[in-house]
């Protein structure tokens, strides 16, 4: 039987935006079914996500981050490594590991962009919840 708890991993960078994904997720999945885990940044998400998935406690693990071009490092490299790591965590454990990790082409720390991305992360959180619920339902039907 698939567990009905979900792990939600959030990166601390741009938390004012990233935390909105959890809000969106909680619009479809009750907060009592969600365990929340904070990590410093996106790069730390795959390892913790793998460990959470391997624990057998969760029907799915959701990982949320905003990876932006800070001018110091190649953000596209970080974003690709994160998404690859999250996919591998899911494939290795057999537990869905869903990404709400976004890498905008043009992000500026203006109020306009922050409002846009806050709203977008709420929607992405809802999308992750729908995906987690659908995968759980489909897997339950396959097991029957």
């Amino acid at each position: 039987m698939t567990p009905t708890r979900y792990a939600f991993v959030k990166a601390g960078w741009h938390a004012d935006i990233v935390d909105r994904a959890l809000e969106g997720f909680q619009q479809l999945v009750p907060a009592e079914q969600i365990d929340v885990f904070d990590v410093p940044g996106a790069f730390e998400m795959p390892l913790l996500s793998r460990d959470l998935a391997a624990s057998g406690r969760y029907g799915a693990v959701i990982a949320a981050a905003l990876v932006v071009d800070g001018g110091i490092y190649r953000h596209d490299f970080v974003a690709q490594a994160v998404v690859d790591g999250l996919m591998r965590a899911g494939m290795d454990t057999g537990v869905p590991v869903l990404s709400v990790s976004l890498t905008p082409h043009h992000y500026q720390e203006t109020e306009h962009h922050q409002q846009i991305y806050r709203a977008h992360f709420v929607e992405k959180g809802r999308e992750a919840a729908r995906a987690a619920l659908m995968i759980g339902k489909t897997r339950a039907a396959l097991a029957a």
Side-chain angles (χ1 to χ4, degrees), residues 11-20 23 107 109 114 118:
W13 284 90
H14 301 285
D16 58 318
I17 294 171
V18 173
D19 289 354
R20 304 294 83 81
E23 290 176 15
Y107 174 77
E109 292 196 43
Q114 289 171 343
R118 283 185 197 116

Side-chain angles (χ1 to χ4, degrees), residues 9-64:
V9 180
K10 302 184 291 110
W13 284 90
H14 301 285
D16 58 318
I17 294 171
V18 173
D19 289 354
R20 304 294 83 81
L22 178 58
E23 290 176 15
F25 193 81
Q26 289 174 333
Q27 290 176 3
L28 298 173
V29 175
E32 304 80 47
Q33 290 180 258
I34 306 166
D35 293 333
V36 179
F37 302 88
D38 292 302
V39 294
F43 204 73
E44 291 79 21
M45 292 190 315
L47 181 61
L48 180 59
S49 295
R50 185 208 57 199
D51 293 348
L52 292 166
S55 75
R57 296 180 194 145
Y58 302 104
V61 177
I62 297 76

Side-chain angles (χ1 to χ4, degrees), residues 3 57 59 83 104 106 112:
R57 296 180 194 145
V83 171
H106 304 287
H112 176 70

Side-chain angles (χ1 to χ4, degrees), residues 76-110:
D76 51 343
F77 168 78
V78 172
Q80 187 65 52
V82 168
V83 171
D84 287 348
L86 293 174
M87 178 60 73
R88 192 171 73 216
M91 297 300 289
D92 289 352
T93 63
V95 173
V97 177
L98 306 174
S99 175
V100 183
S101 302
L102 303 179
T103 306
H105 285 287
H106 304 287
Y107 174 77
Q108 298 168 2
E109 292 196 43
T110 64

